[in-house]
Amino acid sequence: MDKLLITGNGPLQGDVRISGAKNAVLPILAATLLANNASTISNVPHLNDVTTTMALLGRLGCQLTMTDNMQVEVDPSSINDYTAAYELVRTMRASILVLGPLVARYGQAQVSLPGGCAIGARPVNLHIDGLRALGADIRIEDGYIRARAGRLKGARLALDTVTVTGTENLLMAATLARGETVIENAAREPEVVDLARYLTRMGAQISGAGTGTIHVQGVDELQGAPHRVVPDRIETGTFLVAAAATRGKVRVLDTVPENLTVVLDKLRESGASLTQGEDWVELDMNGERPRAVNITTAPFPDFPTDMQAQFCVLNAVAEGKSRIVETVFENRFMHISELMRMGAAMDIDGNTVTVNGVSRLKGAPVMATDLRASASLIVAALVADGETTVRRVYHIDRGYERIEEKFRQLGAQIEREPDN
Ligand code: UD1
């Protein structure tokens, strides 16, 4: 296990390139299972969750070829196993994404109930109910979801809660079902849209991705296709918040600013000057301290829960008082106690945190708890006086590519060491 040693040393400055989106590449790799032949996926980020997904595809019998320019070829034609085992699924909840494709294409799947980030109960009932409505026979036995089906049949699926991976699982399954499927109250996240783009290239007939209602006309088969993964809007937002919190000036390249409009609006409200083009955005704090901003998380297009922890840090060092309300996940405030150990003035009441901005944080030993919380601790360390040690950084490596190298390029003092 590694730890990061970080010493706050002033404003971040420079350019940083954004990687492909974790939350897009995971469903897209799962979707390669639907095809009769190989797909080539590019702009694949080098992340532990990607390695886990490739290990899972390999266990199912897929042939995987990786090239050094972040491109992966997946050939599913040699699949001979339909099980996602507990050892893999427990480290990554998103393994549930193979359920829909396996049932739709091969009529069977065994997927362990998921583990992953410890942020609330995170059930998968909507994935299961939706697949049942499409005609799959699903039992929960020995901690496994065991599914069997003949050809799935299109249906109207009205989701009670907006679920990102749930929408993706059902969208993938519906592509090979007989007849039409309508997914109502669908997630509208850019990653769902990117998945739909890839599926369409494979031959799927989909309309309405990116809106609350997705229509899928099932087809008999899908062919492998090339696809370039959309840039990561959460990584983009994380670097911009780090720039704002440190009163710096950073240009983020290879990104899609229009996928994080609400986050950019909040950064502007906190006092940042933003300039943007089609695939880049530059933030300049003009050396000023950020102003506190209120945040309420909600599904896209509203403020992303995956940016909540980073904005807690921005508010911790901002001028003024703010309220942060988390409506997507229960128990997603584990970073708060760590930030308070660094001198943040915060108070949790249910799903709301009240923050009184302080002018400085102080370095301290802290523990990474979940993926985005961990990123927030790095940002906090960058604005703190003295040294911070962030332990359990495996959470960060699940979702951020070379994070310490990228921060170093911006002038941060950050080292990785083994933590024994
Ligand atoms: C995805 C993202 C994650 C992000 C989250 C919300 C991936 C791989 N992960 O996670 O980074 O934080 O969206 O934007 O894309 N729910 C149910 N029943 C279900 C499914 C979900 O009640 O069957 C609830 C959850 O408990 C949660 C809410 O729905 O309260 C949203 O969860 P969901 O959108 O499913 O999150 P994930 O897809 O797991």
Side-chain angles (χ1 to χ4, degrees):
M1 228 183 268
D2 293 345
K3 60 183 176 189
L4 293 176
L5 303 178
I6 303 163
T7 308
N9 66 338
L12 295 181
Q13 307 270 2
D15 291 355
V16 61
R17 279 184 193 284
I18 295 305
S19 305
K22 171 179 92 72
N23 287 353
V25 73
L26 302 181
I28 286 166
L29 287 172
T32 61
L33 294 171
L34 290 162
N36 290 342
N37 45 26
S39 290
T40 304
I41 311 301
S42 54
N43 202 29
V44 174
H46 195 267
L47 303 173
N48 284 356
D49 275 7
V50 169
T51 313
T52 305
T53 305
M54 307 239 281
L56 172 53
L57 296 178
R59 292 254 200 113
L60 299 177
C62 295
Q63 296 290 329
L64 299 160
T65 318
M66 291 161 72
T67 58
D68 52 4
N69 57 351
M70 297 176 296
Q71 194 163 294
V72 178
E73 186 185 281
V74 186
D75 186 347
S77 57
S78 48
I79 284 188
N80 54 13
D81 190 355
Y82 310 95
T83 303
Y86 178 68
E87 319 87 87
L88 289 176
V89 180
R90 93 188 151 83
T91 61
M92 191 188 68
R93 279 182 51 81
S95 315
I96 186 80
L97 286 165
V98 300
L99 180 63
L102 285 177
V103 176
R105 174 74 176 80
Y106 294 98
Q108 56 177 311
Q110 281 88 239
V111 178
S112 170
L113 285 164
C117 280
I119 46 175
R122 300 186 82 173
V124 288
N125 56 308
L126 298 171
H127 302 234
I128 292 171
D129 293 350
L131 288 170
R132 279 187 178 138
L134 293 173
D137 172 29
I138 301 186
R139 287 154 214 226
I140 310 292
E141 281 168 356
D142 313 322
Y144 274 78
I145 304 165
R146 298 192 198 279
R148 287 207 161 259
R151 182 159 183 200
L152 296 176
K153 265 184 65 190
R156 180 167 286 269
L157 309 173
L159 305 179
D160 293 343
T161 307
V162 179
T163 159
V164 177
T165 50
T167 299
E168 291 165 346
N169 235 335
L170 299 173
L171 169 62
M172 291 187 282
T175 58
L176 287 178
R178 181 176 296 122
E180 192 185 43
T181 298
V182 181
I183 307 176
E184 289 172 359
N185 201 24
R188 292 178 275 170
E189 268 66 4
E191 294 75 22
V192 173
V193 176
D194 202 38
L195 170 66
R197 256 187 228 128
Y198 167 57
L199 292 168
T200 303
R201 274 201 193 120
M202 295 165 88
Q205 293 190 11
I206 300 168
S207 63
T211 75
T213 308
I214 303 179
H215 290 257
V216 185
Q217 196 65 47
V219 295
D220 290 341
E221 53 180 24
L222 295 171
Q223 306 301 329
H227 184 76
R228 184 176 169 79
V229 176
V230 70
D232 198 313
R233 66 195 162 99
I234 305 300
E235 188 193 15
T236 305
T238 302
F239 281 106
L240 292 175
V241 168
T246 60
R247 310 183 190 190
K249 180 177 175 183
V250 166
R251 191 159 50 147
V252 179
L253 306 171
D254 292 347
T255 187
V256 182
E258 71 178 46
N259 285 345
L260 67 159
T261 308
V262 181
V263 171
L264 298 182
D265 286 348
K266 284 291 168 189
L267 286 166
R268 249 182 234 113
E269 194 185 322
S270 82
S273 308
L274 292 177
T275 332
Q276 65 194 72
E278 211 175 302
D279 64 353
W280 61 272
V281 51
E282 182 173 82
L283 178 146
D284 189 351
M285 283 307 280
N286 303 303
E288 300 288 331
R289 181 177 176 192
R291 291 192 295 270
V293 288
N294 293 326
I295 300 284
T296 301
T297 68
F300 194 87
D302 288 330
F303 192 91
T305 174
D306 285 350
M307 285 302 301
Q308 179 256 103
Q310 300 87 320
F311 269 76
C312 283
V313 176
L314 187 70
N315 281 334
V317 294
E319 177 107 53
K321 184 171 171 174
S322 56
R323 261 165 33 110
I324 297 184
V325 184
E326 172 59 61
T327 75
V328 179
F329 290 115
E330 61 203 75
N331 196 17
R332 203 176 194 179
F333 282 141
M334 282 157 328
H335 44 288
I336 300 298
S337 54
E338 300 298 285
L339 294 174
M340 286 168 70
R341 296 181 55 244
M342 296 177 72
M346 298 176 152
D347 188 45
I348 306 182
D349 182 10
N351 69 347
T352 303
V353 180
T354 307
V355 186
N356 275 300
V358 294
S359 55
R360 310 215 66 89
L361 294 178
K362 281 215 311 276
V366 290
M367 197 84 95
T369 47
D370 71 57
L371 173 50
R372 306 302 169 185
S374 316
S376 78
L377 294 177
I378 298 185
V379 178
L382 294 171
V383 288
D385 292 332
E387 188 177 81
T388 296
T389 315
V390 184
R391 295 207 147 79
R392 299 207 179 154
V393 297
Y394 59 87
H395 287 293
I396 300 171
D397 297 332
R398 283 188 41 221
Y400 287 89
E401 183 173 48
R402 299 182 292 112
I403 192 163
E404 71 273 24
E405 269 176 54
K406 291 191 183 187
F407 272 123
R408 267 204 298 271
Q409 274 168 28
L410 299 175
Q413 204 175 315
I414 168 166
E415 298 299 330
R416 179 184 288 256
E417 280 183 7
D419 187 16
N420 300 313

